[in-house]
Structures are given as structure tokens and as C-alpha cells.
């Protein structure tokens, strides 16, 4: 097993500033491949109808619920006709 000594007085990258176009090589192992697959960026495009439905569902789940609204809902008069 190799030992790596780190001098805390120096930056971890060895004090070398890297440009945005320079990428340090890294060893890719199995977990890195799985992690990259599971956490990849997903872009979802919705149709106008899907956006409308999604907005209505979002508004329903994020509405303010007060005790008065709860009481009015449970104590409302329901008429049943056959």
C-alpha cells in the first residue's frame, strides 16, 4: 500500500492553476461508471397540455390549507339523490 503525504500549507492541486480546457486524468472504476450513469443530467420537454396538467397538479399539492378550509370541507352539507 502506498503512502501519500500531503503538505497542508500548499493547495491540494500542487499550486498549479489549470485552465478550464485542461482536465486532470482520473482513474475510472466501476462505482464511478455506475454513479455517472445514475446521476446524469436529464432534460424533459413537455407538450403545452402536459405543462398545463403539471401546473394544475403542482398548484393542488402546494395550496395553503387552513383550519377553516378543513372544517368547511368536512362539515359541508352533501345532498344525495337517487
Amino acid at each position: 500500500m502506498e503512502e501519500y503525504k500531503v503538505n497542508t500549507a500548499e493547495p491540494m492541486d500542487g499550486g498549479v492553476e489549470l485552465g478550464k480546457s485542461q482536465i486532470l486524468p482520473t482513474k475510472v472504476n466501476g462505482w464511478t461508471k455506475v454513479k455517472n450513469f445514475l446521476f446524469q443530467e436529464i432534460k424533459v420537454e413537455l407538450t403545452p397540455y402536459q405543462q398545463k396538467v403539471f401546473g394544475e397538479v403542482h398548484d393542488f399539492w402546494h395550496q395553503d390549507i387552513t383550519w377553516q378550509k378543513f372544517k368547511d370541507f368536512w362539515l359541508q352539507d352533501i345532498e344525495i339523490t337517487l
Side-chain angles (χ1 to χ4, degrees):
M1 186 173 209
E2 298 178 26
E3 274 189 43
Y4 295 101
K5 294 183 181 179
V6 177
N7 185 352
T8 57
E10 294 179 10
M12 293 296 289
D13 61 357
V16 178
E17 291 190 20
L18 298 174
K20 290 186 178 185
S21 63
Q22 296 176 339
I23 299 174
L24 294 175
T26 58
K27 184 177 180 183
V28 179
N29 58 19
W31 171 244
T32 304
K33 290 179 183 179
V34 170
K35 186 175 69 169
N36 289 341
F37 176 75
L38 291 176
F39 297 108
Q40 64 186 336
E41 189 171 330
I42 299 172
K43 184 176 181 182
V44 177
E45 294 183 16
L46 301 174
T47 65
Y49 179 73
Q50 289 171 327
Q51 289 176 349
K52 177 183 174 256
V53 171
F54 184 77
E56 290 173 357
V57 170
H58 178 272
D59 293 343
F60 174 77
W61 283 109
H62 292 91
Q63 65 184 332
D64 290 333
I65 298 176
T66 61
W67 174 249
Q68 186 63 38
K69 287 182 183 180
F70 183 75
K71 188 171 84 172
D72 291 344
F73 177 76
W74 284 105
L75 298 178
Q76 65 184 337
D77 292 331
I78 299 175
E79 233 178 82
I80 300 175
T81 58
L82 299 173

